[in-house]
């Protein structure tokens, strides 16, 4: 893990490194990497839940509550802003309602994280590959891995 360099052209980002540390149960390191990205990453429940989880694992409950409250406030502001947006041919009432519902669902998730984690919930790692740029065991042109001919 120490081989990751933030200056590397292919650096995946602080949140991704933090999530790897969570998987390794190195919660202090995870918190350090989550903190580095806190002011630059868009807040989503999937990674924020893992940040809160790491904080709780390092007995930093007050910081976990701060993070939760900040995210709730952000979602509340997003909901208010979206309610003020006028619909048109590019943004329909249905799309607006669906987006507001998603924002409300996210807000409710944030409100429940600490209680859920306290009751044993372990936020899962959300993982997906990039079809156009990531390395694969077979057929990676970047690392000259041959195609699978099994």
């Amino acid at each position: 893990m120490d081989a990751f360099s933030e200056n590397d052209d292919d650096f995946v980002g602080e949140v991704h490194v933090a999530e790897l540390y969570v998987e390794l149960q190195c919660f202090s390191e995870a918190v350090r990497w989550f903190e580095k990205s806190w002011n630059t990453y868009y807040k989503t429940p999937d990674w924020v839940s893992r940040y809160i989880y790491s904080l709780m694992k390092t007995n930093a409950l007050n910081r976990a509550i701060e993070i939760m409250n900040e995210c709730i406030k952000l979602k509340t502001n997003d909901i208010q802003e979206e309610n003020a947006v006028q619909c048109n041919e590019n943004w329909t009432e249905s799309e607006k309602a669906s987006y507001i519902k998603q924002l409300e669902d996210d807000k409710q998730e944030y409100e429940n994280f600490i209680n859920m984690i306290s009751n044993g919930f372990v936020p899962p790692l959300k993982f997906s590959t990039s079809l156009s740029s990531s390395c694969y065991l077979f057929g990676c042109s970047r690392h000259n891995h041959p195609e699978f001919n099994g």
Side-chain angles (χ1 to χ4, degrees):
M1 291 291 292
D2 291 334
F4 282 111
S5 170
E6 295 173 76
N7 301 322
D8 191 301
D9 288 340
D10 295 324
F11 182 66
V12 294
E14 293 90 353
V15 166
H16 298 294
V17 173
E19 294 213 282
L20 292 174
Y21 276 114
V22 173
E23 289 301 302
L24 294 171
Q25 298 184 7
C26 298
F27 301 112
S28 294
E29 282 298 310
V31 166
R32 187 172 71 80
W33 283 92
F34 280 128
E35 280 290 334
K36 286 175 132 184
S37 62
W38 185 247
N39 293 319
T40 57
Y41 269 67
Y42 180 75
K43 279 56 168 185
T44 59
D46 58 329
W47 75 267
V48 172
S49 66
R50 293 173 60 80
Y51 182 18
I52 291 172
Y53 176 77
S54 297
L55 287 165
M56 292 177 71
K57 286 296 203 177
T58 58
N59 297 315
L61 182 59
N62 288 338
R63 181 66 177 141
I65 292 169
E66 286 175 20
I67 295 296
M68 179 188 70
N69 287 334
E70 185 177 334
C71 289
I72 291 168
K73 184 177 180 182
L74 286 171
K75 287 302 170 187
T76 300
N77 292 342
D78 289 348
I79 291 166
Q80 290 171 346
E81 287 175 14
E82 190 57 37
N83 277 319
V85 170
Q86 298 295 316
C87 294
N88 57 38
E89 65 274 354
N90 296 322
W91 190 242
T92 66
E93 286 288 340
S94 174
E95 291 169 326
K96 178 179 175 177
S98 177
Y99 182 59
I100 290 172
K101 171 78 169 96
Q102 180 60 55
L103 292 171
E104 290 170 345
D105 289 348
D106 288 352
K107 181 179 171 239
Q108 188 164 16
E109 271 190 83
Y110 290 127
E111 291 169 345
N112 293 325
F113 279 153
I114 289 178
N115 188 39
M116 291 171 56
I117 292 167
S118 294
N119 288 320
F121 174 71
V122 178
L125 174 65
K126 183 178 177 182
F127 177 77
S128 60
T129 60
S130 171
L131 296 176
S132 61
S133 64
S134 289
C135 177
Y136 298 96
L137 180 60
F138 299 106
C140 177
S141 58
R142 187 166 124 204
H143 297 107
N144 296 318
H145 294 169
E147 292 289 334
F148 179 73
N149 295 319

